[in-house]
């Protein structure tokens, strides 16, 4: 009798455990292999979410950043996209147009949507239907870093807000002065060592936009007349001029000229460089507003964000995890790790780096005043490759106007081959 009771109890327990196991939802999550500090924060977030939500098991897959988009495209073709995935913001239009991701409206809490930085709302909203398809825990910052000691030694004015940014004349005067200082090999590092890729578009498109150019006309969606305009040529022409004058750190010199070797006085780079700059220069590493190179004052924006796959059968659970990642305290964890701008307005005052008076508050102010997104068009993957190739050739000494004409023709030809990507102004 006792044995039968024990056996029955064991069977009941096993049945209960089996029921729990069956009830558990497995959520697939793909993310790019970013910097180690970012990866560690995300891994910790996954572990804490699962502890608080034992009914959801997260199967996370980390993919190399360089081939990430190609792997997403391959998975989409084979109907094997994960439930939740991150992607670089400018690629969102292509993903939405291709049907890879679904709207977040009605899935993500409205309080999260309402509290997003305006730049993230703009980046994540598809202009055709006005729905939100992507949200980021952070946005990017692009400006000048400077070695305060070298600026003071050269008696150069130190601007502190977008309103008092250097003009082109002041910027070039500063580089002239800095080039004469002992120990300064190059006044400016623009991270040519990053190589031909998204950095060339993110980092240098504000230069052409400041002079009145752009990567593509944002109404006609034609590259000819925008990418190969006089403004675009003036912008890239200035970059080439600075290189020829010996003012720019060559790619061969690597990444440490500004913060390590201290042989460069200025660095045009994004928020991700802050930890190295702080470690290498301490209080002498100061953030300056993006110079107003031309008639228009521009800086870049946009970063990695999250979306829910249109294939997912677990969209509610994916949205729950995404809402967890978008909590202000979780946003601060990732932003403190990578130096990025916290993605919700509620998180800004809680950030030592980004609150009023914080060392990186200028990035936030720029997003609100002079930030310009990369073009929101399904052809963006082609557009960024064409522009980056043009930049690469210009850096190597090629004729600026010729390279921009080639790039514009390449983009318009690709758009035409896809029928204009309807409904983006196509036939």
């Amino acid at each position: 009798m006792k044995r039968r009771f024990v056996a029955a109890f064991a069977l009941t327990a096993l049945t209960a455990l089996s029921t729990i196991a069956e009830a558990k939802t497995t959520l697939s999550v793909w993310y790019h292999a970013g910097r180690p500090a970012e990866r560690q924060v995300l891994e910790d977030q996954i572990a804490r979410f699962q502890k608080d939500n034992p009914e959801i098991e997260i199967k996370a897959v980390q993919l190399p950043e360089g081939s990430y988009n190609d792997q997403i495209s391959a998975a989409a073709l084979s109907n094997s996209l994960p439930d939740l995935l991150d992607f670089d913001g400018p690629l969102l239009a292509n993903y939405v147009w291709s049907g890879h991701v679904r709207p977040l409206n009605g899935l993500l809490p409205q309080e999260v949507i309402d509290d997003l930085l305006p730049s993230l709302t703009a980046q994540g909203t598809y202009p055709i239907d006005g729905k939100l398809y992507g949200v980021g825990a952070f946005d990017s910052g692009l400006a000048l870093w400077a070695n305060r000691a070298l600026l003071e030694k050269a008696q150069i004015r130190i601007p502190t807000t977008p309103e008092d940014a250097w003009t082109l004349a002041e910027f070039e005067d500063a580089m002239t002065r800095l080039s004469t200082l002992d120990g300064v090999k190059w006044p400016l590092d623009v991270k040519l060592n990053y190589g031909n890729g998204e950095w060339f578009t993110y980092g240098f498109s504000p230069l052409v936009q400041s002079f009145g150019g752009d990567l593509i006309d944002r109404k006609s969606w034609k590259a000819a007349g925008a990418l190969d305009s006089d403004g675009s040529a003036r912008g890239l022409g200035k970059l080439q001029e600075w290189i020829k004058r010996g003012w720019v750190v060559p790619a061969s010199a690597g990444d440490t000229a500004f913060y390590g070797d201290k042989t460069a006085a200025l660095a045009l780079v994004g928020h991700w460089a802050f930890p190295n700059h702080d470690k290498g220069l301490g209080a002498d590493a100061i953030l300056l507003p993006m110079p107003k190179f031309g008639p228009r004052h521009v800086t870049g924006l946009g970063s990695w964000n999250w979306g829910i796959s249109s294939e997912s059968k677990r969209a509610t659970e994916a949205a729950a995890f995404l809402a967890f990642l978008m909590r202000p305290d979780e946003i601060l964890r990732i932003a403190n790790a990578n130096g990025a701008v916290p993605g919700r307005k509620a998180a800004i005052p809680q950030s030592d780096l980004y609150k009023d008076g914080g060392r990186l508050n200028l990035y936030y102010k720029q997003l609100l005043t002079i930030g310009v997104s990369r073009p929101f068009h399904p052809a963006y993957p082609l557009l960024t490759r064409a522009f980056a190739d043009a930049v690469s050739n210009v850096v190597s000494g090629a004729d600026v106007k010729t390279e921009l004409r080639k790039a514009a023709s390449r983009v318009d030809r690709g758009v035409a081959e896809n029928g204009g990507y309807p409904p983006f102004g196509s036939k």
Side-chain angles (χ1 to χ4, degrees):
M1 181 74 176
K2 186 176 181 180
R3 288 180 179 176
R4 284 199 299 272
F5 174 77
V6 170
F9 178 82
L11 181 60
T12 301
L14 286 172
T15 301
L17 287 173
S18 176
T19 301
I20 292 172
E22 288 175 4
K24 181 172 285 194
T25 298
T26 299
L27 192 67
S28 59
V29 176
W30 286 8
Y31 63 99
H32 75 288
R35 294 173 181 267
E38 292 181 59
R39 293 199 300 270
Q40 186 59 58
V41 169
L42 184 57
E43 289 168 6
D44 292 344
Q45 289 172 323
I46 290 171
R48 284 185 286 105
F49 178 81
Q50 289 187 136
K51 183 179 179 181
D52 293 340
N53 299 271
E55 74 282 4
I56 299 177
E57 179 182 3
I58 294 179
K59 184 179 180 182
V61 177
Q62 178 190 127
L63 298 173
E65 183 171 340
S67 60
Y68 188 83
N69 189 48
D70 291 338
Q71 295 189 66
I72 294 297
S73 298
L77 288 173
S78 60
N79 298 315
S80 56
L81 284 170
D83 298 299
L84 184 69
L85 65 158
D86 77 345
F87 43 83
D88 204 359
L91 298 175
L92 179 60
N94 183 271
Y95 286 0
V96 177
W97 184 83
S98 300
H100 297 339
V101 291
R102 68 177 67 196
L104 299 175
N105 308 87
L107 283 172
L108 203 60
Q110 192 61 38
E111 67 181 83
V112 174
I113 295 175
D114 291 343
D115 195 45
L116 290 174
L117 295 188
S119 57
L120 289 178
T121 300
Q123 176 185 248
T125 301
Y126 195 56
I128 301 302
D129 61 15
K131 295 180 180 177
L132 187 74
Y133 287 82
V135 295
F138 53 84
D139 204 344
S140 63
L142 176 67
L144 278 180
W145 281 91
N147 184 325
R148 182 198 300 271
L150 294 176
L151 291 189
E152 291 177 347
K153 188 175 181 180
Q155 298 183 334
I156 295 169
R157 181 178 75 87
I158 298 176
T160 57
T161 68
E163 292 74 23
D164 73 340
W166 287 336
T167 62
L168 175 64
E170 286 182 290
F171 176 70
E172 294 187 329
D173 178 64
M175 292 206 287
T176 299
R177 295 190 195 191
L178 291 166
S179 66
T180 67
L181 295 183
D182 289 341
V184 175
K185 276 188 173 182
W186 312 278
L188 177 66
D189 187 1
V190 296
K191 299 302 175 186
L192 294 180
N193 62 291
Y194 286 0
N196 184 346
E198 190 59 28
W199 164 248
F200 278 7
T201 303
Y202 176 77
F204 302 129
S205 58
L207 187 57
V208 306
Q209 290 160 344
S210 185
F211 282 97
D214 206 345
L215 306 186
I216 195 169
D217 185 288
R218 304 192 187 208
K219 292 182 178 179
S220 69
W221 298 114
K222 300 290 184 184
L227 182 52
D228 57 358
S229 66
D230 290 342
S232 295
R234 282 196 296 272
L236 283 194
K238 274 296 174 184
L239 175 63
Q240 189 178 72
E241 178 187 328
W242 300 334
I243 292 170
K244 289 180 177 178
R245 294 181 69 166
W247 284 352
V248 176
V249 177
S252 59
D255 194 52
T256 62
F258 175 72
Y259 66 85
D261 307 330
K262 301 178 182 62
T263 50
L266 301 169
L268 174 66
V269 70
H271 66 268
W272 54 86
F274 169 68
N276 282 336
H277 292 180
D278 184 44
K279 183 178 179 181
L281 291 169
D284 269 341
I286 57 173
L287 188 59
L288 307 183
M290 192 76 159
K292 188 179 180 185
F293 295 112
R296 188 181 182 195
H297 198 187
V298 179
T299 192
L301 59 82
S303 193
W304 289 81
N305 55 183
W306 294 96
I308 297 176
S309 164
S310 55
E311 299 175 15
S312 176
K313 295 178 174 58
R314 294 162 288 276
T316 300
E317 291 83 358
F321 179 53
L322 181 52
F324 171 79
L325 295 179
M326 292 300 296
R327 284 172 24 181
D329 56 334
E330 298 301 333
I331 283 174
L332 289 172
R333 286 187 172 92
I334 192 72
N336 287 337
N338 63 12
V341 186
R344 284 183 60 176
K345 290 174 279 190
I348 298 293
Q350 302 176 44
S351 169
D352 289 338
L353 290 174
Y354 282 95
K355 65 184 180 182
D356 285 344
R359 288 183 70 185
L360 304 183
N361 179 257
L362 179 60
Y363 279 144
Y364 175 59
K365 288 179 179 175
Q366 288 193 152
L367 287 180
L368 298 179
T369 54
I370 61 171
V372 175
S373 64
R374 283 158 282 178
F376 201 108
H377 191 274
Y380 184 80
L382 169 61
L383 179 55
T384 187
R385 284 195 301 271
F387 181 72
D389 285 347
V391 172
S392 181
N393 292 336
V394 165
V395 165
S396 298
D399 181 72
V400 175
K401 290 187 176 181
T402 299
E403 294 304 318
L404 289 175
R405 280 196 297 269
K406 285 163 50 179
S409 176
R410 178 178 168 189
V411 171
D412 286 342
R413 186 168 59 250
V415 171
E417 288 171 355
N418 283 275
Y421 288 96
F424 280 82
S426 67
K427 304 170 186 176

